Amino acid sequence: MPHSTQLYQHVPETRWPIVYSPRYNITFMGLEKLHPFDAGKWGKVISFLKEENLLSDSMLVEAREASDEDLLVVHTRRYLNELKGNGHERDFMNDKRVYIMDVYNRHIYPGDRFAKQAIRRKVELEWGTEDDEYLGKVERNLKKALQEHPPDVVVYNAGTDVLEGDRLGGLSISPQGIVKRDELVFRIVRGLQVPILMVTSGGYQKRTARIIADSILNLCGLGLIGPETPSVLAQNSDSPLLPPEVP
């Protein structure tokens, strides 16, 4: 049934396609400073971009939180009550409009074997995979995926848990490799004139905020993002907003 929602908003042309909210940054009486992960990385990314004079507060699009009524349009109440790590794969399990490509350390992900069935192109990596192999596989498989399923829009999950030293990812991608990965994804997708939504996703080492900021600066400098480009950067994929079709 139709319902009123606050999710949709008019975005003036003066604003950049960068979505952010200070609520993305997790704090609890200072205890977050003792945690090995950087729970405030998204705020730091924005701060770095402001220091580089790329952004100001007036240029950002502030995210709005989805209500239960919004989420129940596509989810059951039971699902929301039992929310759990591979939701998008389960959500789109039988939806042939959606094409999921995933690049991951095969020894640790995905733990949900049922959800894994929804991944149409599985790019499985070994422990300690480094830049050259990683970037080559990303490029080759992305091009094949886009040929198999020409998309209306791409949702790009640009996680930094592939960074060397990340205890969860188990890979060995350098900061420069992450910047290069984002660049090649945008070059390929934008070359097809397809809109792309980038979410910064997992990866919580203390240095990831600087790497994400450097990547955004690189994309901007190359003309791959900007106020007039059909691309959107969302600072946090953990927000309750659902992605559209995923190539």
Side-chain angles (χ1 to χ4, degrees):
M1 295 292 293
H3 71 283
S4 60
T5 179
Q6 299 298 316
L7 288 182
Y8 299 102
Q9 56 181 304
H10 172 68
V11 179
E13 294 183 358
T14 55
R15 294 181 184 267
W16 276 52
I18 296 182
V19 181
Y20 170 73
S21 171
R23 290 178 294 175
Y24 291 163
N25 305 298
I26 302 171
T27 60
F28 183 73
M29 300 176 64
L31 293 178
E32 70 279 359
K33 297 178 181 178
L34 303 177
H35 200 281
F37 295 155
D38 188 355
K41 72 173 184 178
W42 295 284
K44 292 178 182 177
V45 170
I46 295 298
S47 294
F48 286 138
L49 296 177
K50 288 179 179 178
E51 290 173 3
E52 298 287 345
N53 296 316
L54 181 69
L55 292 179
S56 64
D57 288 335
S58 64
M59 298 165 66
L60 296 172
V61 178
E62 183 162 358
R64 297 179 179 179
E65 185 175 358
S67 67
D68 281 356
E69 289 72 24
D70 293 322
L71 297 175
L72 286 169
V73 172
V74 291
H75 294 299
T76 64
R77 174 62 67 182
R78 178 179 178 182
Y79 172 81
L80 295 181
N81 290 340
E82 300 177 355
L83 195 61
K84 58 183 179 180
N86 300 308
H88 73 284
E89 290 165 356
R90 286 176 172 265
D91 290 340
F92 299 121
M93 178 67 68
N94 298 310
D95 192 334
K96 299 304 181 184
R97 300 171 302 171
V98 178
Y99 184 107
I100 298 176
M101 168 180 154
D102 210 341
V103 185
Y104 52 87
N105 181 340
R106 72 181 185 88
H107 298 287
I108 61 174
Y109 179 88
D112 186 338
R113 294 192 177 186
F114 176 74
K116 187 176 181 179
Q117 299 175 57
I119 303 175
R120 302 266 288 274
R121 179 166 288 274
K122 304 174 182 67
V123 185
E124 300 189 326
L125 306 175
E126 296 294 333
W127 291 108
T129 296
E130 298 181 345
D131 288 10
D132 288 346
E133 178 183 356
Y134 176 73
L135 293 172
K137 288 186 174 180
V138 169
E139 182 173 10
R140 288 193 301 273
N141 283 277
L142 177 58
K143 289 179 177 178
K144 290 179 180 178
L146 293 170
Q147 290 173 352
E148 291 176 8
H149 189 96
D152 296 317
V153 63
V154 169
V155 178
Y156 170 41
N157 190 348
T160 50
D161 47 2
V162 299
L163 182 65
E164 56 192 1
D166 190 292
R167 289 178 288 177
L168 295 182
L171 303 179
S172 296
I173 310 305
S174 70
Q176 296 78 13
I178 290 175
V179 172
K180 184 65 177 178
R181 177 202 63 187
D182 295 347
E183 177 184 331
L184 74 85
V185 169
F186 268 75
R187 282 192 184 279
I188 292 170
V189 175
R190 292 293 312 283
L192 298 175
Q193 299 298 306
V194 174
I196 178 171
L197 165 69
M198 172 177 165
V199 292
T200 54
S201 189
Y204 301 92
Q205 292 188 66
K206 300 297 184 183
R207 55 185 177 147
T208 57
R210 180 71 257 181
I211 296 169
I212 294 169
D214 287 343
S215 180
I216 294 172
L217 289 166
N218 181 58
L219 294 173
C220 179
L222 294 170
L224 293 172
I225 62 170
E228 297 182 356
T229 60
S231 308
V232 176
L233 293 171
Q235 286 297 312
N236 184 1
S237 68
D238 298 327
S239 77
L241 298 178
L242 286 173
E245 285 188 20
V246 184

